């Protein structure tokens, strides 16, 4: 029987990220959008399992885009919520340790990294994500962009920090000014979570 995925528990209240991300956006983004990805992923996987039992390869192939889109949406958002934290719970506090040193070594400084990463992310055409990832083969950090809900892992990188630039992530509050949203979100980036993901990736 196909595994049933569930909406992960949000690590803070819907209003906790204000004023950077308001409660209305969080409610729609988490309870509607992310929940829909989980629901649709489970439906697609159930249909895939049925097609597999019947040996219906055409149906299995036809379901791949739905699994990729909704599965990616679930993976990406599960990382995203933990990549953020309220200001009174460490949000915006700079990274420390080996991650901080690697950012400085590769990008010059944290400020330069934020500037470069933000510019790359704001420039995404249409919907997608900006990512900081770890390249396990080269043992280095890399920035990347992914279209729609494609997960970063498809590129071979381990996702550390993702910024969602789908319009549903910011439009109700920032309208069409994506740059203002990306600039503001650094105030609530949970670098402690990014460090945990980095340390795990390095030691894997």
């Amino acid at each position: 029987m196909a595994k049933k995925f569930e909406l992960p528990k949000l690590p803070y209240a819907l209003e906790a990220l204000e004023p950077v991300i308001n409660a209305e956006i969080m409610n729609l983004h988490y309870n509607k959008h992310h929940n829909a990805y989980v629901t649709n992923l489970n439906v697609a996987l159930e249909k895939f399992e049925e097609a597999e039992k019947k040996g219906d390869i055409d149906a299995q192939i036809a379901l791949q885009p739905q699994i990729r889109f909704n599965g990616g949406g679930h993976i990406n958002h599960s990382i995203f919520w933990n990549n953020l934290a309220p200001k009174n719970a460490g949000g915006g506090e700079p990274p420390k340790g080996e991650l901080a040193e690697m950012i400085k070594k590769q990008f010059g400084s944290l400020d330069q990294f934020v500037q470069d990463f933000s510019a790359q992310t704001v420039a995404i055409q249409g919907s997608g994500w900006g990512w900081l990832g770890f390249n396990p083969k080269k043992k280095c950090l890399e920035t990347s962009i992914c279209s729609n809900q494609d997960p970063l892992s498809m590129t071979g990188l381990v996702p550390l920090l993702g910024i969602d630039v789908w319009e549903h992530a910011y439009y109700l509050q920032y309208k069409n000014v994506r740059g203002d949203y990306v600039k503001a979100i650094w105030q609530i980036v949970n670098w402690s979570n990014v460090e945990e993901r980095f340390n795990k990736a390095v030691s894997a």
Side-chain angles (χ1 to χ4, degrees), residues 57-84:
I57 189 66
D58 290 333
Q60 291 177 62
I61 292 171
L63 285 161
Q64 288 295 325
Q66 193 176 341
I67 294 170
R68 174 173 170 169
F69 179 76
N70 291 291
H74 176 49
I75 290 169
N76 293 339
H77 286 87
S78 296
I79 296 169
F80 183 60
W81 306 131
N82 289 288
N83 276 170
L84 305 177

Side-chain angles (χ1 to χ4, degrees), residues 92-128:
E93 292 182 9
K96 305 178 184 71
E98 189 180 349
L99 174 61
E101 288 301 313
M102 192 173 284
I103 288 174
K104 184 178 180 181
K105 181 180 179 182
Q106 288 191 225
F107 300 96
S109 68
L110 178 62
D111 286 344
Q112 188 61 53
F113 161 74
V114 169
Q115 184 177 322
D116 294 347
F117 183 92
S118 296
Q120 187 178 25
T121 302
V122 171
I124 292 172
Q125 294 185 349
S127 300

Side-chain angles (χ1 to χ4, degrees), residues 7-8 10 12 14 17 20-38 72-74 76-81 84 128-129 148-149 162-173 181 185 188:
L7 185 67
L10 201 63
Y12 36 75
L14 292 173
L17 301 181
V20 178
I21 301 176
N22 65 36
E24 183 182 15
I25 286 177
M26 284 299 300
N27 181 46
L28 288 169
H29 200 171
Y30 172 72
N31 286 315
K32 303 298 183 183
H33 288 278
H34 189 175
N35 193 43
Y37 295 132
V38 174
H74 176 49
N76 293 339
H77 286 87
S78 296
I79 296 169
F80 183 60
W81 306 131
L84 305 177
W129 292 72
N148 300 313
Q149 293 296 355
I163 295 182
D164 185 353
V165 289
W166 277 66
E167 286 188 345
H168 64 237
Y170 63 88
Y171 206 88
L172 285 174
Q173 189 171 351
Y181 156 73
I185 206 169
I188 53 171

